[in-house]
Amino acid sequence: MGDTLEFSDIYQEVKGSWNDGRLRFGRQSVVYKSSKTGKVDSIPAAELSQAQWRRVCLGQGIKLTTSTGHIYKYDGFRDTDFEKISEYFKAHYKVELSEKELCVKGWNWGTTKFSGPLLSFEVSDSPAFEIPLASVSQCATGKNEVTLEFHQNDEAEVSLMEVRFYVPPGDTVFRDRVLSKADVIQATGDAVCIFKELQCLTPRGRYDIRIYPSFLHLHGKTFDYKIPYTTVLRLFLLPHKDQRQMFFMISLDPPIKQGQTRYHFLILLFSKEEDLSLSLNMTEEEVERRYGGKLSKNMSGSLYEMVGRVMKALVNKKITVPGNFLGHSGTQCITCSYKASSGLLYPLERGFVYIHKPPVHLRFEEVSCVNFARGTTTTRSFDFEIETKQGTQFTFSSIEREEYGKLFDFVTAKKLSIKNRGFKEGKDDMLEDSDEDQHDAYLERMKEEGKIREEANDSDDSDGESGEYDSKASASDSSAEGGDSDREKKKRPAKKAKVVKERKPRKKKPKDSGAPKRPMSAYFLWLNASRESIKAEHPGISITEISKRAGEMWRELGKEQKEWDGKAEEAKKDYEVAMREYRESGGGSSAPSKKERKKKGGKSDEKNKKGMSGGGRERERERTTGNDSFKSREFISSEESSSESDRGKGKRKRKGSDELEEVASTPPSSDSGSD
């Protein structure tokens, strides 16, 4: 048998919910590390006095009792683990792992037993349920009952709020024993020291901080908070980017509550120039006996140093400070934005800390990968994305591009997985405008739709465009027979103007509801097939998160994209066949509509048609609709003016070339059909 036994996916009950972690049995101690908070519980092997193997909700569980009165419960073992754990306990801890049956009768009467910090309710000498008294927030007594209220767990879907016990009238022993072990904070005695009017960022305001031996009391104008030192996970002391202020951050679990708002971090802001002389409300002998040289009765120095020193001694935890990271500006933090607020990101030796709204602490152990992404608004900045092993993504945006090299080197040195390592390492190529290295679903869709729209417009409007050019050319030819270069110059700008005028209605072309629908690209075909599976894997995911997640999955498909490219190609061919059949059956006719003919046949065109020669009129008739019984207003007026102008044909022939130019360039008004 080895020196250690390790088990993963072991759960520990914390305020009514199960948190997973890793449990290790060693020769010297039993160590449990929570995956959620990173908190480590260490039980010395010499203190183990009792061990029980019990059938619990998630399989098999172990209950460990120490000689100091503490009780630890772990859940998630398999039936086959009993033998090797039992042998290990006998060999190394000299403790027998006994099996204990729980009562499942469902009776609501029995006897209560207090075993250290645990209240056990037993029926027929078998425990029916157990209550950790540290989870009790209040104990209220009635005429013949006692009500136990529990701390609310914000992350549990269902929480037990209270339990009521019947007691004989006048019996206060039960209540007193509960309160002696319950987590009910009562400010008794004098505070060790008091810090006046400290600036607090979260929760926002000015607070007096009273330091008691077992808890921290924040007293403000509106709210009071009592924070037990047992709920403090970590302490951080971080310099502001301006080098004139300091942040002191306290990580809390469970968080403090203000209405429906939870504060997992307490952040204080200090000025480096503010000094303080502090005198503890204790004798020098008491200070030496309790804190062993960590504190002295009279201390002086910077205010943030005094607060940090006192908190470190009372909480008995180390203070985390920045490591060796230096940004482009020479500071130990990076300016960026998270969600809607701007703040500071601190790369530490074992994690990342963002201050301040909302505060974020990410340990390297819970980071799955990081990603360097292009900025959404400008190439002068980039985004830094951190994805945790639980699937949560944190995006810190608007980071100056000069910080890229420093941050990339830091992440590489910490051996974190970089998601987009396909970019050239150590360079700023990922900040350039090229999109070759990254799939852009929106850009691909726009290109595909533009290609299809261009093909459809070319086939639908090719006849109309040729008629427009011929119309202009015939009008100019009929107005002058000499082919003079000046007259050619007059024709060219008219052509360009005509093209511009005809392209505008094409952009506003009404949608043909009967036409076949354009095919989707390979990405959108895949997305429609995969959308439900993405929703099933991530319940409650938003539409934007679906798009972001789908883009990442599409990039990771690799060779499977060719299959969807083939499907998109088949859909495109089917569309072209359907579109051809639709046009042959008379749908989507390229003949201009009545509105388009009105736009094309304005006053200037009407006047030009009046001055056309006979050949121009013939070509104009060919371009009109195939129904001979219908003639538009422009066509009728043009024909009438042309017939009247033929009466004076011989008269115009006898005029000189200069007069011909004058007649062609200034056609008669529509009111008078003759010279």
Side-chain angles (χ1 to χ4, degrees):
M1 183 177 292
D3 292 338
T4 60
L5 278 180
E6 290 194 12
F7 298 91
S8 58
D9 297 329
I10 300 299
Y11 295 83
Q12 183 184 37
E13 190 271 330
V14 179
K15 294 191 183 299
S17 67
W18 293 96
N19 295 339
D20 65 317
R22 190 173 186 86
L23 181 65
R24 184 183 67 198
F25 296 107
R27 285 176 175 265
Q28 304 297 326
S29 62
V30 177
V31 179
Y32 179 81
K33 185 173 184 179
S34 173
S35 300
K36 175 189 169 186
T37 62
K39 186 178 180 180
V40 177
D41 291 333
S42 181
I43 308 171
E47 294 183 3
L48 287 177
S49 60
Q50 186 180 6
Q52 291 182 358
W53 180 266
R54 308 188 299 177
R55 177 75 180 178
V56 286
C57 60
L58 298 178
Q60 301 292 339
I62 289 180
K63 175 185 174 183
L64 301 178
T65 305
T66 65
S67 57
T68 57
H70 292 87
I71 296 176
Y72 302 89
K73 293 188 290 185
Y74 304 103
D75 195 353
F77 298 96
R78 296 187 295 269
D79 294 339
T80 55
D81 296 332
F82 174 76
E83 292 184 2
K84 57 183 178 182
I85 296 176
S86 178
E87 293 177 2
Y88 189 90
F89 273 42
K90 288 180 181 179
H92 297 92
Y93 301 151
K94 309 301 180 188
V95 175
E96 183 179 356
L97 183 62
S98 60
E99 294 188 67
K100 182 72 173 179
E101 293 293 333
L102 299 180
C103 178
V104 292
K105 291 183 178 180
W107 294 358
N108 63 344
W109 65 90
T111 59
T112 56
K113 291 185 179 181
F114 292 88
S115 176
L118 203 66
L119 169 62
S120 177
F121 186 82
E122 297 184 356
V123 177
S124 301
D125 294 331
S126 296
F129 61 87
E130 295 174 338
I131 299 175
L133 295 177
S135 300
V136 177
S137 63
Q138 190 58 260
C139 181
T141 58
K143 183 177 180 180
N144 53 2
E145 67 178 12
V146 175
T147 303
L148 305 186
E149 298 179 5
F150 302 101
H151 289 291
Q152 184 178 356
N153 192 331
D154 301 322
E155 299 181 359
E157 296 181 0
V158 179
S159 296
L160 179 64
M161 300 304 298
E162 67 178 32
V163 173
R164 297 185 181 184
F165 294 93
Y166 169 82
V167 295
D171 187 359
T172 60
V173 177
F174 182 84
R175 173 182 176 275
D176 295 339
R177 297 195 67 176
V178 169
L179 287 177
S180 64
K181 299 293 183 180
D183 187 18
V184 180
I185 299 177
Q186 298 177 353
T188 58
D190 296 331
V192 176
C193 60
I194 300 176
F195 298 99
K196 293 283 189 178
E197 292 291 323
L198 297 185
Q199 182 180 355
C200 193
L201 299 182
T202 56
R204 188 177 180 87
R206 292 271 181 178
Y207 289 87
D208 293 342
I209 297 183
R210 295 185 174 94
I211 306 294
Y212 287 88
S214 61
F215 67 94
L216 181 71
H217 183 198
L218 267 70
H219 176 69
K221 294 181 179 178
T222 309
F223 299 99
D224 274 4
Y225 303 99
K226 295 175 182 177
I227 305 172
Y229 296 142
T230 55
T231 64
V232 177
L233 289 180
R234 293 175 185 85
L235 302 174
F236 299 90
L237 186 61
L238 306 170
H240 196 281
K241 193 170 185 178
D242 60 9
Q243 302 297 322
R244 294 182 298 175
Q245 300 179 94
M246 297 291 291
F247 294 109
F248 187 75
M249 187 166 81
I250 304 173
S251 176
L252 303 173
D253 183 42
I256 57 178
K257 183 173 68 172
Q258 178 177 308
Q260 296 300 319
T261 308
R262 308 292 186 269
Y263 295 101
H264 292 268
F265 296 92
L266 175 65
I267 301 180
L268 303 172
L269 182 62
F270 299 96
S271 173
K272 284 187 175 182
E273 300 176 354
E274 192 171 358
D275 296 330
L276 177 71
S277 295
L278 183 65
S279 179
L280 301 182
N281 190 20
M282 302 170 67
T283 63
E284 294 183 359
E285 291 78 11
E286 288 178 333
V287 173
E288 182 66 26
R289 177 171 51 84
R290 288 190 180 184
Y291 307 113
K294 296 179 181 179
L295 297 177
S296 57
K297 180 174 175 58
N298 298 306
M299 298 179 292
S300 62
S302 300
L303 178 58
Y304 70 89
E305 291 179 351
M306 294 294 100
V307 174
R309 188 174 175 183
V310 171
M311 289 298 298
K312 180 180 178 181
L314 272 71
V315 178
N316 197 22
K317 292 186 181 294
K318 296 180 180 179
I319 296 179
T320 303
V321 297
N324 299 324
F325 175 82
L326 284 179
H328 174 72
S329 58
T331 58
Q332 296 171 308
C333 57
I334 296 173
T335 303
C336 62
S337 296
Y338 176 62
K339 294 186 177 179
S341 301
S342 178
L344 300 174
L345 178 66
Y346 291 84
L348 307 178
E349 291 301 313
R350 295 185 180 180
F352 295 97
V353 168
Y354 175 80
I355 294 179
H356 86 288
K357 195 174 183 179
V360 176
H361 177 226
L362 298 171
R363 295 174 290 114
F364 291 156
E365 299 172 357
E366 58 182 331
V367 173
S368 172
C369 62
V370 299
N371 181 32
F372 294 88
R374 293 180 177 88
T376 55
T377 57
T378 175
T379 57
R380 293 182 177 273
S381 64
F382 67 95
D383 296 348
F384 183 58
E385 300 172 351
I386 302 176
E387 186 173 338
T388 64
K389 293 177 181 178
Q390 286 77 23
T392 308
Q393 182 169 311
F394 298 85
T395 301
F396 303 97
S397 58
S398 302
I399 303 176
E400 297 178 359
R401 65 180 299 166
E402 288 80 10
E403 303 284 1
Y404 172 71
K406 300 283 187 181
L407 188 57
F408 188 93
D409 294 341
F410 174 82
V411 170
T412 306
K414 295 301 179 182
K415 298 180 181 180
L416 297 178
S417 174
I418 302 177
K419 194 172 186 179
N420 57 344
R421 195 175 282 276
F423 293 118
K424 295 181 180 180
E425 298 183 10
K427 296 184 179 180
D428 287 348
D429 293 354
M430 53 82 63
L431 299 176
E432 295 179 359
D433 295 334
S434 174
D435 289 332
E436 296 176 359
D437 297 327
Q438 196 171 10
H439 174 262
D440 192 335
Y442 181 77
L443 180 62
E444 181 180 337
R445 178 187 176 191
M446 292 298 103
K447 286 181 178 179
E448 193 72 22
E449 290 186 356
K451 206 179 291 183
I452 296 171
R453 192 183 298 112
E454 184 178 354
E455 292 174 0
N457 289 336
D458 289 344
S459 59
D460 289 347
D461 301 327
S462 57
D463 297 337
E465 288 183 9
S466 62
E468 292 157 11
Y469 282 104
D470 292 344
S471 171
K472 265 305 186 189
S474 61
S476 59
D477 290 342
S478 63
S479 63
E481 298 176 359
D484 190 88
S485 60
D486 295 334
R487 289 191 294 276
E488 290 178 0
K489 291 179 181 178
K490 293 179 181 178
K491 289 189 290 180
R492 288 172 188 167
K495 282 184 181 179
K496 292 179 181 178
K498 192 69 175 180
V499 171
V500 173
K501 289 181 180 178
E502 290 302 325
R503 286 187 183 276
K504 287 182 180 178
R506 205 180 308 150
K507 291 181 180 178
K508 301 178 182 179
K509 184 176 179 179
K511 184 177 180 181
D512 190 354
S513 58
K517 293 185 178 180
R518 296 189 179 93
M520 290 186 288
S521 64
Y523 170 76
F524 282 92
L525 287 173
W526 170 84
L527 179 59
N528 287 342
S530 307
R531 183 179 282 107
E532 294 302 325
S533 62
I534 296 175
K535 289 181 180 179
E537 292 176 2
H538 306 278
I541 191 172
S542 65
I543 297 175
T544 55
E545 291 172 343
I546 289 177
S547 303
K548 187 180 294 185
R549 181 61 181 162
E552 295 172 357
M553 295 173 64
W554 175 255
R555 289 195 293 271
E556 296 170 358
L557 283 181
K559 295 181 179 180
E560 296 182 14
Q561 290 186 8
K562 295 181 180 179
E563 176 186 349
W564 294 98
D565 291 337
K567 292 182 180 180
E569 192 66 27
E570 292 177 4
K572 184 178 179 181
K573 291 179 181 178
D574 295 342
Y575 169 78
E576 292 173 353
V577 173
M579 197 68 189
R580 196 179 304 116
E581 294 176 355
Y582 177 72
R583 294 197 191 101
E584 290 175 358
S585 63
S589 176
S590 60
S593 62
K594 186 174 180 181
K595 291 184 178 180
E596 290 176 344
R597 286 196 298 272
K598 284 185 178 181
K599 291 181 179 179
K600 293 177 183 177
K603 289 186 178 181
S604 60
D605 290 345
E606 187 178 343
K607 293 177 183 178
N608 287 336
K609 290 176 184 176
K610 290 180 182 179
M612 284 183 183
S613 62
R617 291 197 304 275
E618 293 297 328
R619 285 192 292 271
E620 183 65 27
R621 293 192 190 98
E622 292 175 2
R623 286 190 299 274
T624 57
T625 181
N627 189 358
D628 295 335
S629 63
F630 173 80
K631 292 183 179 181
S632 65
R633 179 179 178 183
E634 292 86 356
F635 183 82
I636 296 172
S637 61
S638 175
E639 189 178 25
E640 290 174 354
S641 62
S642 300
S643 61
E644 291 178 1
S645 62
D646 286 341
R647 299 172 189 170
K649 187 175 182 181
K651 188 175 181 180
R652 284 197 298 274
K653 281 184 179 181
R654 289 193 295 270
K655 294 183 179 180
S657 60
D658 296 336
E659 294 177 359
L660 279 172
E661 286 183 18
E662 183 179 353
V663 171
S665 59
T666 57
S669 62
S670 58
D671 296 332
S672 61
S674 63
D675 295 335

